[in-house]
Amino acid sequence: TSEENMEEMLDDVLDEISTYLQIKDVMGKYYSTDGEQRIEKVVILIKLLISQDIDMSELTIKLCDGNTVKMLDYSGNAQFIESNSLFEHPVWNNISDSNFGFVVIHDKDRSLVDYDAINDNTDMAYIIINLSEEFSMAKGENMDVTLLPSAGIKKTITLDAPLPMKQLVNLQ
């Protein structure tokens, strides 16, 4: 009903305002592991709702697949996208399945790359996550990803692995 849609829209707006972070895009990449297609890399495009200093080194990410919870810390690795492909960017080599990094799309004062902070509502970066074998996702599986920033309230999104018709897929 339209009342339910309005309530959902209001919840989304309140969630964005209280976390200061907007999630603009969520994608995953399928890889073939032992003959099975599984999503092993996830990227989440974030942008500040309003200009505010947020120390990304204090961001923690919680992954929950319904059975297991895993906490990820910031690896300290943030690099501009430049001419690199998002899922093949060299920064992936600097993160493991127990931490995350950033591929920066826009950061005119280099605050994220140089100081681990986003501070302007034009800053945009992909959070990059390498999923471990036990957390990689097959078609039909889902996972809750919770961003726990130092400022604001946590933000949870649910990733749903679609049919692997192509390697790169939207997860939301």
Side-chain angles (χ1 to χ4, degrees), residues 77-106:
N77 291 286
Q79 296 178 16
F80 281 101
I81 185 90
E82 297 174 339
S83 62
N84 297 292
S85 172
L86 179 59
F87 283 94
E88 282 72 38
H89 193 287
V91 75
W92 286 97
N93 299 324
N94 301 330
I95 66 168
S96 69
D97 61 7
S98 62
N99 56 37
F100 63 91
F102 292 97
V103 172
V104 180
I105 305 303
H106 188 267

Side-chain angles (χ1 to χ4, degrees), residues 43-84:
V43 297
I44 302 169
L45 182 61
I46 59 168
K47 181 181 185 300
L48 281 176
L49 184 63
I50 56 173
S51 292
Q52 160 132 2
D53 282 336
I54 296 183
D55 185 349
M56 299 312 280
S57 69
E58 295 180 9
L59 176 68
T60 303
I61 297 176
K62 178 176 80 172
L63 304 177
C64 180
D65 65 2
N67 297 312
T68 307
V69 172
K70 185 171 188 174
M71 304 301 287
L72 307 178
D73 293 316
Y74 177 46
S75 67
N77 291 286
Q79 296 178 16
F80 281 101
I81 185 90
E82 297 174 339
S83 62
N84 297 292

Side-chain angles (χ1 to χ4, degrees), residues 19-51:
T19 60
Y20 308 116
L21 295 174
Q22 292 177 311
I23 294 178
K24 305 298 273 177
D25 189 24
V26 183
M27 295 187 312
K29 185 168 183 180
Y30 276 103
Y31 291 86
S32 184
T33 304
D34 297 328
E36 183 180 15
Q37 294 285 357
R38 299 191 67 82
I39 294 172
E40 296 178 7
K41 289 182 177 179
V42 171
V43 297
I44 302 169
L45 182 61
I46 59 168
K47 181 181 185 300
L48 281 176
L49 184 63
I50 56 173
S51 292

